[in-house]
Amino acid sequence: MLDIKITRAETLKEKPEDSKLGFGKYFTDHMFLMDYTEGRGWHDARIVPYAPLTLEPSSMVFHYAQELFEGLKAYRTESGKIQLFRPDRNVARMNNTCERLCVPKLNPDDVLTAIKSLVAYEADWVPHSAGTSLYIRPFIIATDAALGVHPSHSYLFIIILSPVGTYYAAGLDPVKIYIEKEYVRAVRGGTGQAKCGGNYAASLIAQSKAEEYGCEQALWTDGVEHKYIDEVGSMNVFFVINGEVVTPDLSDGNILPGVTRASSIELMRSWGLKVTERKVTAAELFEAHAAGRLDEAFGTGTAAVVSPIGELNDSGKSIIINDGKIGAISQRLYDELTGIQWGKIPDKFGWTVEIQ
Ligand SMILES: *Cc1c(COP(=O)(O)O)cnc(C)c1O
């Protein structure tokens, strides 16, 4: 069992009102830290007051982006318990990302213990209002003070926590999406399936382009032909075509394997829906729409859970999906996933993990 040394903050912050939370604006009183030193491995697990870090300007993370992260949430149930949703999946994915970025892996049990211990220690920060949660952000940075290009020999593993509001104050509002055919988020053999900051740095430019088209986010296409759909913004994407649910398959390594994606597939199959993982082209979506068979489209991810897509714009040519309204499958998926996460409906899959 991981031995965690705790240093308590001398003064605690005032907690924001639930209605003002937004996403990732406030941070709790404490954070978790653990060091990696070559020869010693991961060591000195500790919970300390949340505070700025002191790093050498030459730290490798600042220059070559050897950084990776995870994202999950703690939910307060109506009976006051706090639970996590499939945290083992995040921990396993973090180790996969470590492998891709040449970062030494962590013991999965230790990471789970660290997450649970920090959330339990900060339990008062898990907000109470409907739709709110405590966002958990584990991340690793390369800390060698050196400018040579090679994997770092030292790292810092950090977990910070942020109370977050509901994404949809006024119900699930479908978003407008722009199909990106110039820039790419990921290519085969690249880091698309790894959750790393570098992917996000490379994707920001498409966000501002989407806004020029009056859209909220970019739909990423493959880096070779700009023909196949990868993801939408920082979410996985699903389409309902003639009653069948279709989502891009993961085999090319361009797509981040979302925990919400995997859970959505399992859940929809349990309802008896046909869910197929395969290549999907943008052209196919426009053809299906013309034939009146593109029933629904939506993104999935931990932050928003399910985000319905109301409009797709391909270089100025735009189609409206389901009259710009949320579809029946998207709504049911949102209701059941959030129902399980907040403990409002029975968790027959065994996905939730109680903290206290
Ligand atoms: C984190 C992430 C997702 C969603 O994954 P979840 O585990 O469902 O939160 C999808 N795409 C990208 C690029 C991501 O970084």
Side-chain angles (χ1 to χ4, degrees), residues 93 185 195 200 231 234-236 256 258-260 301-302:
R93 186 171 66 191
R185 192 194 82 89
K195 209 165 174 78
Y200 279 73
E231 296 195 53
S234 52
M235 287 184 287
N236 294 116
L256 199 287
V259 179
T260 323
T302 297

Side-chain angles (χ1 to χ4, degrees), residues 41-351:
W42 289 101
H43 62 91
D44 280 315
R46 56 205 187 272
I47 289 173
V48 297
Y50 180 96
L53 303 169
T54 302
L55 292 168
E56 293 276 349
S58 55
S59 293
M60 286 183 58
V61 62
F62 296 136
H63 306 278
Y64 310 124
Q66 206 189 3
E67 184 271 355
L68 59 97
F69 66 97
E70 268 303 325
L72 67 162
K73 286 172 170 175
Y75 309 84
R76 191 182 289 281
T77 68
E78 265 155 28
S79 61
K81 288 190 184 122
I82 296 170
Q83 61 187 25
L84 304 173
F85 183 75
R86 313 189 82 179
D88 53 311
R89 292 281 183 134
N90 295 90
V91 173
R93 186 171 66 191
M94 191 169 91
N95 269 338
N96 289 340
T97 304
C98 281
E99 197 166 304
R100 179 64 181 81
L101 295 192
C102 300
V103 172
K105 290 187 189 181
L106 292 109
N107 176 329
D109 292 336
D110 287 351
V111 179
L112 260 182
T113 302
I115 292 171
K116 287 183 187 171
S117 306
L118 183 65
V119 172
Y121 197 65
E122 300 284 64
D124 288 348
W125 279 94
V126 184
H128 289 78
S129 306
T132 62
S133 55
L134 185 67
Y135 186 77
I136 305 165
R137 168 54 58 88
F139 62 111
I140 300 177
I141 55 173
T143 53
D144 272 12
L147 294 184
V149 179
H150 55 75
S152 184
H153 305 284
S154 58
Y155 297 88
L156 190 56
F157 172 48
I158 309 173
I159 308 173
I160 55 176
L161 305 175
S162 172
V164 297
T166 170
Y167 241 71
Y168 305 108
L172 290 151
D173 210 8
V175 290
K176 292 183 186 168
I177 300 296
Y178 163 70
I179 303 179
E180 178 56 61
K181 291 189 167 170
E182 180 188 1
Y183 302 114
V184 292
R185 192 194 82 89
V187 288
R188 190 186 288 203
T191 52
Q193 62 189 339
K195 209 165 174 78
C196 59
N199 287 344
Y200 279 73
S203 74
L204 297 174
I205 194 163
Q207 181 70 35
S208 38
K209 219 174 125 192
E211 281 158 22
E212 276 170 37
Y213 280 82
C215 292
E216 277 108 348
Q217 274 177 6
L219 186 76
W220 296 104
T221 51
D222 76 279
V224 181
E225 298 176 82
H226 289 300
K227 185 172 157 191
Y228 302 103
I229 305 292
D230 278 352
E231 296 195 53
V232 59
S234 52
M235 287 184 287
N236 294 116
V237 68
F238 289 79
F239 303 97
V240 186
I241 303 173
N242 212 17
E244 177 184 349
V245 183
V246 178
T247 190
D249 67 279
L250 303 175
S251 60
D252 280 348
N254 298 352
I255 295 175
L256 199 287
V259 179
T260 323
R261 175 189 182 277
S263 309
S264 299
I265 292 172
E266 278 186 65
L267 199 52
M268 289 187 287
R269 283 187 179 147
S270 79
W271 304 336
L273 285 176
K274 184 168 181 212
V275 184
T276 310
E277 295 175 74
R278 65 162 167 85
K279 290 201 188 313
V280 186
T281 64
E284 174 188 356
L285 298 176
F286 277 69
E287 280 160 27
H289 179 265
R293 299 183 339 178
L294 181 59
D295 310 335
E296 297 183 36
F298 55 91
T300 65
T302 297
V305 193
V306 173
S307 181
I309 297 171
E311 186 174 333
L312 276 182
N313 187 315
D314 186 357
S315 314
K317 202 175 111 200
S318 131
I319 53 174
I320 308 288
I321 301 166
N322 195 37
D323 289 332
K325 295 196 290 274
I326 180 162
I329 293 174
S330 316
Q331 182 72 57
R332 182 173 176 195
L333 187 61
Y334 179 80
D335 291 343
E336 293 204 13
L337 279 174
T338 56
I340 294 169
Q341 288 166 337
W342 274 277
K344 283 186 254 173
I345 59 175
D347 170 20
K348 62 179 180 197
F349 299 93
W351 284 341

